[in-house]
Amino acid sequence: MSCVRPDTAAALYAQIATAQSEWKLPSVNAGVVRDGSLVWTGSRGQFATADGGVPGPDVQYRIGSITKTLTAVLVMQCRDDGLLSLNDAVGKHLPGIAFGDRTIRQLLAHSGGMNAEPDGPWWERNPGVTFDQLTAAMDESQAVGPADRRHHYSNLGYGLLGEIVARLRSASWFDLVQERILDPLEMRRTTYFPTGSSAQGFSVHPFSGQLMDEPAYDAGAMAPAGQLWSTIEDLAKYANFWIDPLYEVLNRDTVDEMAAPVAADPREGLTASYGLGLRLIADNPHLLVGHTGSMPGFLAGLFVDRVRRVGAVTLGNATYGRVASLPTDLIETVVAYEPSLPLEWLPEPPLAQGSDLLGHWYWGNTPVTMSVSAGILQLSGGLTTRFSPLGPDLYQGRDGYLAGEKLHVIREGNRITHLDVATFVLTRTPYGLGDDLHQA
């Protein structure tokens, strides 16, 4: 394991020590990843296990709703394999079910207006039920609002998503998690039930400070929302997956799609939102993606900065306290002490096409510049977009305002007269084509 500097390690440890002390956590466990490696682990607390065992990076804790991100990965795999569309109605795959008109996309983003919890006893503190029992209690009168109005977290929705992927693949939800995610990522200590060294879930009495055991039932049909157990070492591998996707699990474009905002809570403004199975937190000018988790006696957090290639994971065995939000502080600490270095500049290789597009252009009288960075054409100035070639004299915007739009190179003989992209006409001189062409 590569390491952080001693002063960085001391600052990171101070973060978890403060949380453990101030929030009365029986134990807290943490790790930091950077550039594909687990570079720091730390723990505090003498009550990870029922007999007073101490925490460590290979001790299992229940990860709660971080489980949902694995369910979301299974859904996106089904989409990429052509087994479903994100705009499919849930009822297409679960005929006759309540909320059947909600889409898979809405369930992934918690924007379907579904109630947060299944009807009946508190599912987290009671033995789980079968899927038929779960859906028999569903009633659309429990809806909290219309679809696509806002982000409203729904554990129930992820129970349905788990069943959809199980039916499409003709296998149990956890068998799919094991085969299609855990095995490829070599997450050998992430399991349905705890195995080997594992933490006891506790509740700390608010007045006496005494520890009380919390239950850990099989969640049954709600398992896709919060069942799994894992370790710091395994979650570090999972965090690195979100930074550097393994194609065998998901391609980078699909991960990018999952990490884009879909729904938000108006109270959070622009500070946080939800993608397709991922929680997004604005850390101006950066974006953190991941998830938090809680089940009786357990708290967890996992967040990464995909651009700066750093992330953090935290696990604790308490019902209440500051554990799930600690990763964001650990990320802030490690980049403050050891800033991510920019990529080394290297001379650009020759372009396969597009070298005659480089230089200054004008949109009307607004100057823009076409240059190349890392082999990709980059338009900057009044319009800012990167372009990839689609064919001779044809390009497509990769990002920015012109994302997805086609750029056509217009020639007279071998001379370029102008560039045309989504009615924006770019010429080598201000108003180079006169007034006879529309200038958007």
Side-chain angles (χ1 to χ4, degrees):
M1 180 176 76
S2 58
C3 298
V4 297
R5 297 195 313 253
D7 58 332
T8 309
L12 293 169
Y13 187 76
Q15 293 275 2
I16 66 168
T18 299
Q20 191 273 337
S21 178
E22 291 184 353
W23 292 93
K24 303 176 182 178
L25 303 173
S27 73
V28 61
N29 226 342
V32 169
V33 299
R34 186 174 59 195
D35 293 328
S37 297
L38 178 61
V39 297
W40 176 84
T41 62
S43 59
R44 200 182 202 214
Q46 301 179 32
F47 294 93
T49 62
D51 59 0
V54 297
D58 192 45
V59 174
Q60 284 187 317
Y61 291 68
R62 202 166 189 181
I63 64 173
S65 289
I66 295 176
T67 301
K68 290 182 175 68
T69 66
L70 289 96
T71 300
V73 168
L74 293 179
V75 172
M76 298 306 289
Q77 289 175 343
C78 286
R79 193 286 303 272
D80 289 352
D81 289 345
L83 300 178
L84 59 79
S85 165
L86 298 187
N87 293 324
D88 283 349
V90 171
K92 176 180 178 179
H93 303 281
L94 303 175
I97 197 169
F99 298 104
D101 61 337
R102 270 52 170 188
T103 68
I104 291 173
R105 184 189 307 275
Q106 290 164 351
L107 266 60
L108 283 170
H110 302 279
S111 63
M114 294 179 63
N115 44 305
E117 310 294 343
D119 194 34
W122 192 352
W123 69 275
E124 294 175 330
R125 282 189 163 81
N126 289 277
V129 300
T130 67
F131 186 75
D132 287 344
Q133 291 171 315
L134 178 72
T135 55
M138 288 174 54
D139 185 342
E140 292 189 10
S141 68
Q142 299 166 348
V144 298
D148 287 330
R149 178 67 57 85
R150 57 175 292 168
H151 169 80
H152 180 80
Y153 198 81
S154 176
N155 284 299
L156 178 58
Y158 271 75
L160 306 189
L161 291 173
E163 180 68 12
I164 288 174
V165 298
R167 293 188 184 187
L168 288 173
R169 300 281 191 190
S170 299
S172 74
W173 167 80
F174 182 69
D175 283 347
L176 293 172
V177 169
Q178 184 74 61
E179 174 189 349
R180 303 185 67 86
I181 305 174
L182 303 182
D183 287 348
L185 296 180
E186 298 183 354
M187 296 171 63
R188 299 185 179 91
R189 291 279 289 139
T190 301
T191 55
Y192 193 93
F193 293 118
T195 61
S197 180
S198 59
Q200 168 65 46
F202 290 118
S203 177
V204 181
H205 193 281
F207 305 121
S208 71
Q210 300 297 303
L211 298 182
M212 299 176 290
D213 290 355
E214 286 274 25
Y217 294 115
D218 182 345
M222 289 294 291
Q227 175 67 33
L228 298 184
W229 295 69
S230 192
T231 68
I232 290 296
E233 291 177 342
D234 262 19
L235 289 181
K237 296 176 183 177
Y238 192 49
N240 280 322
F241 161 76
W242 293 107
I243 297 172
D244 286 316
L246 180 67
Y247 187 83
E248 185 179 350
V249 178
L250 283 180
N251 65 61
R252 183 171 291 275
D253 284 346
T254 297
V255 171
D256 291 345
E257 182 181 2
M258 296 176 73
V262 177
D265 184 328
R267 296 173 304 171
E268 294 178 325
L270 300 178
T271 62
S273 59
Y274 209 87
L276 299 175
L278 294 174
R279 176 77 164 156
L280 315 180
I281 300 176
D283 180 27
N284 190 37
H286 304 285
L287 178 68
L288 306 181
V289 303
H291 217 285
T292 59
S294 67
M295 288 295 277
F298 293 99
L299 299 165
L302 181 157
F303 284 93
V304 301
D305 181 326
R306 301 180 66 220
V307 173
R308 290 182 290 180
R309 300 177 56 77
V310 62
V313 293
T314 52
L315 296 169
N317 59 335
T319 295
Y320 176 73
R322 193 163 176 272
V323 174
S325 62
L326 268 178
T328 59
D329 293 337
L330 298 178
I331 291 171
E332 182 179 340
T333 296
V334 78
V335 298
Y337 277 74
E338 300 182 29
S340 299
L341 298 178
L343 293 176
E344 180 182 0
W345 180 85
L346 297 171
E348 293 287 341
L351 282 173
Q353 71 176 63
S355 59
D356 52 351
L357 305 186
L358 303 178
H360 297 301
W361 295 86
Y362 292 87
W363 165 41
N365 69 340
T366 302
V368 296
T369 302
M370 187 76 79
S371 60
V372 60
S373 178
I376 299 171
L377 288 175
Q378 170 75 61
L379 186 67
S380 57
L383 300 169
T384 300
T385 299
R386 296 183 300 162
F387 288 97
S388 296
L390 292 180
D393 286 343
L394 180 63
Y395 301 81
Q396 185 171 41
R398 295 165 62 109
D399 46 29
Y401 183 77
L402 297 174
E405 301 286 359
K406 306 292 194 307
L407 182 149
H408 300 266
V409 180
I410 310 302
R411 299 179 184 268
E412 288 183 358
N414 292 325
R415 183 179 70 88
I416 298 176
T417 62
H418 61 283
L419 309 179
D420 192 333
V421 51
T423 77
F424 292 87
V425 174
L426 308 182
T427 58
R428 287 294 192 183
T429 59
Y431 301 111
L433 293 175
D435 295 330
D436 56 329
L437 278 180
H438 171 60
Q439 302 288 307

